[in-house]
Structures are given as C-alpha cells and as structure tokens.
Amino acid sequence: MLNEVNIDTWLDDTLAIAPQVRRILRERIVKNDLPAGSKLSEAEIAKSYGISRQPVREAFIKLAEEGLLLIRPQRSTLVTKIDYPTVLQSRFVREAVEADIVRLLAQDPKPALVKELRSQLRHQAKIGKASSADFINEDEKFHRTLAEAAGKDVAWQFVEGLKSQMDRVRFLSFELFPFATLIDQHTAIVDQIDAGNPDAASRAMRKHLNEILKTLPQIIERNQVYFDRCEDLATDGSSSTRE
C-alpha cells in the first residue's frame, strides 16, 4: 500500500492540488518507486497530504488515462505493468514528431539555440554514468529544448503524455544505458541543425530514437515481472520509415 512508501514531497497550497498529486505519483511510477502491482488508496494518499479525496481521485483518473493505473471501483487501485505494444507505439509517434521538430530547426538554425544545446551536451558528458537518473533528466531537457525552440510546446506536451511507458523502461535499464552513444547521437543532431541540414537532422533524430529498440528485448528479459503482453519481442518496424 502507499503508506509503505515515504511521502517526502510537499504540496504547494497556492496551486491546484490535483495536478501536483498526479505529477508526484507519475514520477514515482515512472521511476519504479511504485512498481507494477503496487496498491494505491485514495484515502491513504489524501490523509498523507492532509487533503480531501477529490483531487486524489482526479489524479488517479488522469494517470489511468496514461495507462499507469488500473482503477477498480470499490476495490484497490493498482499500478499497471508496462505495456510492451504501447512502448513501441509511443516510440513510433515520438520519432515522427521529433524528426519534424529538428527538421524545422535546421531550416533556420539559431546561434543562440546551438550554443545552449552544446552547453547541455557538455553537461551530459560530465554526468555520464555518475548519475543515471540525472542523465535521464538532462536527456529530457535536451528534447524539450528542441521542441520549445521550434515553437512546438503543445506537441511536446502530447508526446510527454504518450511516453510514460517508455520512460518506465528507461529507468529499468540503467545498466544497459549506452551513455556515450546517446551523447554522440545528441551531438550529431546538434551538428546537423547547426549546419542547416534538415534531412540529415531528421535522420539523426530517427536514428537516436530507434536506439531503445536495440536493448528493449534484453531489458524485458531481465525485468519480466514489470511487463505485460511482452511475448512478441520483434521490433515494430517503425525504423523502416526513412527520409
């Protein structure tokens, strides 16, 4: 039950409560602090934070829409297993969106953006394997920066909502995380944006977002208890879409 997990994040009572509860629980689920099968209770969460059950219920509904919770009326609410087909589908959508984002950026490269991205690359290299969680956060920042620079904030929010299952996979795969490869791929993306080469930038992003397909079967094999519907480990064929 949730009361077995430390509640060490405080709520800001000047902001809407339900989105804060959703964000906190989502982060714990994605990081596998609340692993698949964990039972959550509206009453216990509400009591832990000293709030009513209504915002907790709203947060549960949003998390269920993301596929992270299974709400069973009059019974406990469960953290779902990672859905393998959803991981593949969300990766496919993300590739399509982000390939177009970097294409747009490379059509009119901005020196200030390139400078910021190269600064982020240097920071990624310093973090490396020293902190896998910090590297994932920096990776998220890198991709969000690209989307915001292209004026595609709404598209990025849509992608964020889709990729929660993929993010859960990433937090299960620290020992398989190809840090140097990912940094090299980020660098290739920035280089092509800087060079004003839309086609090459798009290809570099597609290659980068296909990287997870190389290690996904091994991740599932090592963490089968976390996954649902993972009997078919073949790739989704999305990598066949090329410029």
Side-chain angles (χ1 to χ4, degrees):
M1 300 293 286
L2 190 73
N3 58 2
E4 297 173 351
V5 180
N6 285 332
I7 299 294
D8 55 6
T9 305
W10 300 101
L11 300 178
D12 184 344
D13 59 11
T14 66
L15 301 174
I17 298 299
Q20 294 183 73
V21 175
R22 172 189 170 275
R23 176 184 55 79
I24 292 167
L25 293 178
R26 184 185 188 280
E27 181 175 319
R28 289 181 178 275
I29 294 170
V30 165
K31 291 183 176 180
N32 299 301
D33 292 337
L34 290 172
S38 297
K39 295 181 179 180
L40 305 188
S41 163
E42 282 184 14
E44 289 179 10
I45 295 173
K47 181 179 179 181
S48 296
Y49 285 116
I51 57 178
S52 71
R53 294 176 62 166
Q54 182 59 34
V56 179
R57 185 174 301 116
E58 292 174 14
F60 276 17
I61 291 171
K62 291 294 186 182
L63 292 169
E65 290 173 355
E66 283 190 60
L68 296 176
L69 291 183
L70 173 63
I71 299 175
R72 304 185 300 177
Q74 309 306 316
R75 300 170 64 190
S76 57
T77 294
L78 300 177
V79 176
T80 62
K81 290 188 175 184
I82 299 171
D83 186 77
Y84 172 70
T86 299
V87 171
L88 297 182
Q89 294 281 358
S90 62
R91 192 217 59 80
F92 178 83
V93 172
R94 183 177 181 184
E95 177 185 326
V97 172
E98 294 204 62
D100 274 356
I101 282 174
V102 295
R103 175 183 291 280
L104 288 171
L105 294 174
Q107 288 173 359
D108 184 21
K110 304 296 185 185
L113 171 63
V114 172
K115 181 179 179 181
E116 166 62 21
L117 293 172
R118 293 205 185 281
S119 175
Q120 290 185 24
L121 291 174
R122 290 191 293 271
H123 190 52
Q124 290 172 21
K126 288 180 181 179
I127 293 174
K129 290 187 177 181
S131 175
S132 301
D134 285 346
F135 185 88
I136 289 177
N137 290 335
E138 286 300 311
D139 177 74
E140 191 82 0
K141 178 181 178 181
F142 177 81
H143 288 272
R144 185 174 63 251
T145 298
L146 293 171
E148 291 175 348
K152 302 301 178 184
D153 310 55
V154 174
W156 178 249
Q157 292 171 15
F158 175 74
V159 168
E160 279 191 311
L162 282 177
K163 69 185 185 71
S164 54
Q165 300 287 14
M166 187 192 303
D167 288 342
R168 294 173 77 184
V169 172
R170 294 200 297 167
F171 276 96
L172 283 175
S173 60
F174 287 158
E175 72 278 10
L176 300 174
F177 227 57
F179 296 94
T181 298
L182 296 178
I183 293 171
D184 286 346
Q185 290 172 354
H186 285 170
T187 301
I189 292 167
V190 176
D191 286 347
Q192 297 304 331
I193 292 173
D194 192 16
N197 193 333
D199 287 349
S202 181
R203 286 195 297 270
M205 179 60 80
R206 289 184 184 278
K207 179 179 179 181
H208 174 55
L209 293 178
N210 269 274
E211 187 67 33
I212 193 173
L213 296 178
K214 298 178 182 178
T215 54
L216 186 54
Q218 190 175 359
I219 294 167
I220 293 174
E221 181 63 29
R222 292 186 179 191
N223 301 278
Q224 291 187 28
V225 68
Y226 287 93
F227 286 85
D228 188 23
R229 295 195 290 162
C230 60
E231 61 276 1
D232 179 9
L233 299 184
T235 61
D236 62 348
S238 58
S239 57
S240 63
T241 303
R242 290 291 176 265
E243 299 294 326

